[in-house]
Amino acid sequence: MYRDQTRFLIAVDCIVFGFDGEHLKILLVKRALEPEKDKWSLMGGFVKPGESLDEAAQNVLNLNTGLKGVYLEQIQAYGDPLRDPIERTLSVTYFALIDIHKYETQINDEYHAEWFLLKDMPQLIFDHDEMVETAKRKIRYKAALHPILFELLPKKFTIPQLQNLYEDVYNTQIDNRNFIRKLTSTGLLIKLPEKDKSGSKKGAFYFKLDKKKYKANFQAFLNLIPKPDKLVMG
Amino acid sequence: MYRDQTRFLIAVDCIVFGFDGEHLKILLVKRALEPEKDKWSLMGGFVKPGESLDEAAQNVLNLNTGLKGVYLEQIQAYGDPLRDPIERTLSVTYFALIDIHKYETQINDEYHAEWFLLKDMPQLIFDHDEMVETAKRKIRYKAALHPILFELLPKKFTIPQLQNLYEDVYNTQIDNRNFIRKLTSTGLLIKLPEKDKSGSKKGAFYFKLDKKKYKANFQAFLNLIPKPDKLVMG
DNA sequence: TCAAAAGTGTTCGAATTACACCCATGG
DNA sequence: CCATGGGTGTAATTCGAACACTTTTGA
């Protein structure tokens, strides 16, 4: 068999993004064990026998927040020998996109996770800050071409909400007429008869995703961001 | 410390691509140890204490081929509990892009790795076929936007060579006038005075990469492939 | 001299941008 | 009635796709 080979701890760490209508946020927890106990950290956990990586990530998320069936995507494996000072641990990172409103209270009550604006999040333990940077790059890169940001919104959402989201993710201003035209040309949206009156007197129509088209066209290239060439991607 | 947690074997597996002027090829080895001894396999190896993942991948490549400083990029971690029948092993895959001609003989003489056309490569062990499929998707995805395919060519190369490469990777025909125009508009190429006469009587001018611009513009979006929207990406 | 590949320009249509006004409503 | 954000159309430009002929030279 594979004698004489070293075995290592394997962890998954989740970068959980949410959107409050204005800004992208990240969900952090206070680390429960030494070292660095009570410092802010990504939510993570060790992979257990019998768990695949994807399952481990879903379990970590469920344990820390109570959420199930969340949109998760593997980002990268981090294997620096010294990244965990106690014992060498390989970490596989995932990003998670969740509808912040649906779970906001639940999270704060039952669990001790907390949302932070990306701009003023605290420093994290180990190499977690680097992981967050990579996750931010990855989400920008991917969302420039694929409609993943819908995962951050409720089932019913308005176009101004969506535009705010894109504007925050790319830190840019988007012309609303062009944005709407491109958006409707994708055929991904279904207009609902109701309006959201919370944002303005006139109210904005709700839309929902056309699930079938969403799944069928997920790999197709979008171009909702003007001149993505100027953005630094990677 | 982290007691009561299980440790696992960690491997890296490299999907090594080369280009013979006509077609993309993949470099495979005969597996040296049981189980599945002497079956075709990706080149891989266990991660050792003190080795980062990137280092482990470079070492695997160096051990199997003698190559150093190769273009390597992490693709994905595979963690299915049963993917290795002997003992659970996490595998982190990398793709490598190398100039096939520079190393062709060396590889065949000293090592027992062998180049295969992607179209008629043998079946591989474990989940290696799936890894290759993912690597192919990844390289197509990335090369549609970033100039990584240059890594497959010698320092001096001709535009027809480059076009063959793109045509093979995307299994499509590209109009040479449009291709040249887009290519020169990137400013990445420097024309050399010499010609390559091996491909035609007239001969084709050699070009080399403008390394500075290559590095500076690596993240910029290219669009050398007509209508990438129609390709399945992911 | 001719076969075979390299190299070069222009036209057309589609897609993207820039841009300004009316609409609906709650206060 | 008016302030606020939501929603709509058009013209100008840019970008990509389609397309055919001339050049070079070794055999």
Side-chain angles (χ1 to χ4, degrees):
Chain A
M1 314 299 162
Y2 303 142
R3 239 170 323 182
D4 305 328
Q5 296 297 341
T6 310
R7 278 87 180 152
F8 303 93
L9 289 167
I10 300 176
V12 294
D13 286 298
C14 298
I15 297 96
V16 184
F17 292 106
F19 179 63
D20 68 1
E22 291 284 322
H23 297 290
L24 255 199
K25 291 189 162 185
I26 184 173
L27 191 58
L28 301 174
V29 296
K30 282 200 170 156
R31 180 168 161 97
L33 67 171
E34 295 291 352
E36 306 271 12
K37 191 163 182 297
D38 291 329
K39 296 266 180 71
W40 289 105
S41 154
L42 295 173
M43 47 185 73
F46 291 108
V47 173
K48 296 178 185 46
E51 256 183 357
S52 73
L53 293 171
D54 290 0
E55 287 161 6
Q58 287 284 1
N59 289 340
V60 160
L61 219 62
N62 183 254
L63 274 171
N64 282 280
T65 66
L67 307 181
K68 287 192 177 184
V70 162
Y71 181 92
L72 269 176
E73 188 169 331
Q74 192 189 113
I75 304 180
Q76 204 186 116
Y78 289 79
D80 188 280
L82 301 176
R83 53 171 296 282
D84 185 316
I86 297 300
E87 178 179 340
R88 179 165 183 181
T89 304
L90 181 118
S91 170
V92 180
T93 51
Y94 281 79
F95 71 78
L97 304 180
I98 76 181
D99 170 5
I100 198 173
H101 294 106
K102 200 166 165 190
Y103 300 103
E104 205 162 17
T105 51
Q106 184 185 143
I107 287 166
N108 285 331
D109 292 354
E110 287 189 47
Y111 308 89
H112 38 302
E114 200 174 314
W115 287 107
F116 289 86
L117 287 173
L118 276 177
K119 335 229 161 202
D120 47 42
M121 53 177 272
Q123 219 187 359
L124 305 183
I125 62 165
F126 302 167
D127 51 359
H128 287 196
D129 283 314
E130 183 192 345
M131 291 174 174
V132 171
E133 281 311 307
T134 303
K136 279 157 62 179
R137 258 188 292 122
K138 172 103 180 184
I139 200 179
R140 269 202 278 262
Y141 191 86
K142 178 134 192 178
L145 303 169
H146 307 289
I148 54 173
L149 295 184
F150 291 103
E151 303 287 344
L152 290 163
L153 295 172
K155 292 227 167 94
K156 298 190 293 188
F157 54 86
T158 67
I159 294 192
Q161 270 173 38
L162 191 59
Q163 184 172 341
N164 279 343
L165 174 52
Y166 274 91
E167 290 184 339
D168 191 59
V169 169
Y170 293 97
N171 190 31
T172 185
Q173 294 288 105
I174 304 179
D175 181 284
N176 67 340
R177 290 159 290 189
N178 294 335
F179 185 75
I180 293 171
R181 180 171 336 102
K182 287 182 186 181
L183 207 50
T184 51
S185 82
T186 66
L188 289 174
L189 296 193
I190 299 173
K191 191 175 194 167
L192 301 177
E194 320 139 60
K195 279 187 164 188
D196 168 29
K197 299 264 192 174
S198 68
S200 72
K201 330 216 156 159
K202 183 177 178 182
F205 278 104
Y206 278 117
F207 290 78
K208 66 174 182 179
L209 256 190
D210 184 329
K211 286 274 168 68
K212 276 189 191 171
K213 288 198 180 165
Y214 178 65
K215 284 176 188 165
N217 293 9
F218 192 80
Q219 303 301 352
F221 282 174
L222 291 186
N223 185 19
L224 297 172
I225 317 304
K227 298 181 189 152
D229 321 67
K230 287 183 182 162
L231 301 168
V232 174
M233 309 236 140
Chain B
M1 313 299 162
Y2 305 140
R3 238 171 324 184
D4 305 328
Q5 297 295 340
T6 310
R7 275 86 178 155
F8 304 93
L9 289 168
I10 300 176
V12 295
D13 287 298
C14 298
I15 297 98
V16 184
F17 291 107
F19 180 62
D20 67 1
E22 290 287 321
H23 296 292
L24 253 200
K25 292 189 160 185
I26 183 172
L27 192 58
L28 301 174
V29 295
K30 281 200 170 154
R31 179 166 162 99
L33 68 168
E34 294 292 353
E36 306 271 13
K37 191 163 182 295
D38 291 329
K39 297 266 181 70
W40 289 106
S41 153
L42 295 173
M43 48 185 72
F46 292 108
V47 173
K48 295 176 186 48
E51 257 183 356
S52 74
L53 292 172
D54 290 0
E55 286 161 5
Q58 287 285 0
N59 289 340
V60 160
L61 219 63
N62 183 254
L63 274 172
N64 282 280
T65 67
L67 308 180
K68 287 193 177 184
V70 162
Y71 181 92
L72 270 176
E73 189 169 330
Q74 193 190 113
I75 304 180
Q76 205 184 115
Y78 288 79
D80 188 279
L82 302 176
R83 54 172 297 282
D84 185 316
I86 297 299
E87 178 178 340
R88 178 164 185 182
T89 305
L90 181 118
S91 170
V92 179
T93 52
Y94 282 78
F95 71 78
L97 305 180
I98 76 180
D99 171 5
I100 200 174
H101 294 105
K102 200 167 166 190
Y103 301 102
E104 206 161 16
T105 52
Q106 182 184 146
I107 286 166
N108 285 330
D109 292 354
E110 288 188 46
Y111 308 89
H112 38 304
E114 200 174 314
W115 287 107
F116 288 88
L117 286 173
L118 277 178
K119 335 231 159 197
D120 47 42
M121 52 178 274
Q123 220 188 1
L124 306 182
I125 62 166
F126 302 168
D127 51 359
H128 287 195
D129 283 314
E130 183 192 343
M131 292 173 173
V132 172
E133 281 311 307
T134 303
K136 278 156 63 179
R137 257 189 293 121
K138 172 102 179 185
I139 199 178
R140 269 202 278 262
Y141 190 87
K142 178 132 191 179
L145 303 169
H146 306 289
I148 54 171
L149 295 185
F150 291 103
E151 303 287 344
L152 290 164
L153 295 172
K155 292 226 166 95
K156 298 189 295 187
F157 53 87
T158 67
I159 293 192
Q161 270 174 38
L162 191 58
Q163 184 172 340
N164 279 343
L165 175 52
Y166 274 91
E167 290 184 339
D168 191 58
V169 170
Y170 293 97
N171 191 31
T172 185
Q173 293 289 105
I174 304 178
D175 181 283
N176 67 339
R177 292 158 289 190
N178 293 335
F179 185 75
I180 293 172
R181 181 173 336 101
K182 287 182 186 180
L183 207 51
T184 50
S185 82
T186 65
L188 290 174
L189 296 192
I190 299 174
K191 192 175 194 168
L192 300 177
E194 318 138 61
K195 278 188 165 186
D196 168 28
K197 298 263 193 173
S198 68
S200 72
K201 329 216 158 161
K202 183 177 181 183
F205 278 106
Y206 278 118
F207 289 78
K208 65 173 184 178
L209 256 190
D210 185 329
K211 287 272 168 66
K212 275 189 190 170
K213 287 199 180 161
Y214 178 66
K215 284 178 186 162
N217 293 10
F218 192 79
Q219 304 301 354
F221 282 175
L222 291 187
N223 184 21
L224 297 172
I225 318 302
K227 298 179 189 152
D229 320 66
K230 288 182 182 164
L231 300 167
V232 174
M233 310 237 139

